[in-house]
Amino acid sequence: MPLPFDKLEYSRILQASGVPLAQAEAHAEALSYALSEPVCLSSDLAILKAEILAQVSEMLAKMKGEILAEVDKKLRPIYWMLAASLLMHAITLSKLF
């Protein structure tokens, strides 16, 4: 977003300080051109930061879900073995008493 710039006022200020008219106009034109190029403002950075944080949060949530799914997949046999072991212990204890 270009910054607002008054070439005429800038040229007048330069002339008032002793800069010749042609040189003051050239300075004003050059500065006007430089300021007409897009500039990143703090509000633009805040928006970009929010977008990046949202993307990072989304990626972390996705990775967390994938990791939990993989861990659950790896631990599923252990859950079954634990359940079978508890069942065998329950049966053994019921026979003892």
Side-chain angles (χ1 to χ4, degrees):
M1 178 178 191
L3 298 173
F5 177 69
D6 185 2
K7 289 192 286 188
L8 183 58
E9 183 63 27
Y10 183 75
S11 178
R12 286 182 185 159
I13 292 171
L14 288 176
Q15 289 175 35
S17 66
V19 176
L21 175 63
Q23 194 174 3
E25 288 175 350
H27 276 262
E29 190 63 37
L31 189 55
S32 174
Y33 174 74
L35 293 176
S36 70
E37 295 298 312
V39 176
C40 183
L41 302 175
S42 60
S43 59
D44 297 330
L45 291 176
I47 292 169
L48 185 60
K49 178 182 176 183
E51 290 173 358
I52 290 172
L53 288 174
Q55 288 178 355
V56 167
S57 295
E58 182 181 321
M59 288 173 44
L60 285 174
K62 182 179 176 184
M63 288 174 55
K64 182 179 178 183
E66 290 173 359
I67 290 170
L68 288 175
E70 188 66 27
V71 167
D72 186 54
K73 181 179 166 185
K74 299 284 184 184
L75 291 178
R76 195 168 294 136
I78 295 173
Y79 296 151
W80 282 104
M81 284 189 275
L82 180 62
S85 176
L86 287 173
L87 181 62
M88 286 188 299
H89 284 294
I91 292 170
T92 304
L93 286 173
S94 70
K95 297 285 184 180
L96 292 175
F97 297 106

